[in-house]
Structures are given as structure tokens and as C-alpha cells.
Amino acid sequence: MKLVVPQFDDQMLDYIQMVHDLDGPRAAYAFYLGRKSYPYQTADLDTNEVEDFIIGFYTQYNKRFGVRY
């Protein structure tokens, strides 16, 4: 089943971007899911969901702030 990525506000895009740039897409998805303690536990995350999430994030981030990803 394809993950439906919500529309993020600018603040959430900034938070996700920071986590992504420090620890990658899996950590960014874990943060989004509410796993707030570092290091983020990611072993149980579904790869397809991570991919759907990060593509949605990249698309929204690039639209709002210019092409970065």
C-alpha cells in the first residue's frame, strides 16, 4: 500500500530537512512518525514507506525552497 504523505508546513519541512541531512531518509521518516529520541530506531521501517515519504518530502521541499534534492 502506498503511503500518503501529508502537506508539510515550512517548520516541519525545516525539521525533516535537518534530520535528513544528519542521518538520512530513514531517520527523517522515523522523526516524522514521532520517534523523537536520538538515535532514531529505524530497523523496523518499511523501505517502500520510507521511499514514498522521502519522495513526497523532496518534492514539497524543492517546491517551497528551491531545488536542493
Side-chain angles (χ1 to χ4, degrees):
M1 185 164 120
K2 188 168 177 68
L3 176 73
V4 176
V5 178
Q7 292 297 308
F8 301 117
D9 62 19
D10 289 354
Q11 183 178 27
M12 183 56 78
L13 286 170
D14 283 338
Y15 287 145
I16 294 170
Q17 179 266 322
M18 286 188 293
V19 173
H20 175 278
D21 288 358
L22 288 172
D23 291 318
R26 294 182 76 78
Y29 184 50
F31 169 81
Y32 166 74
L33 292 175
R35 299 179 185 185
K36 305 267 189 231
S37 60
Y38 185 84
Y40 299 101
Q41 299 301 312
T42 63
D44 64 326
L45 296 177
D46 180 270
T47 299
N48 291 320
E49 287 183 13
V50 173
E51 289 174 350
D52 291 345
F53 168 80
I54 210 64
I55 289 168
F57 163 72
Y58 289 162
T59 301
Q60 290 180 50
Y61 190 94
N62 290 342
K63 250 186 192 175
R64 295 274 248 307
F65 301 113
V67 176
R68 179 179 181 142
Y69 299 104

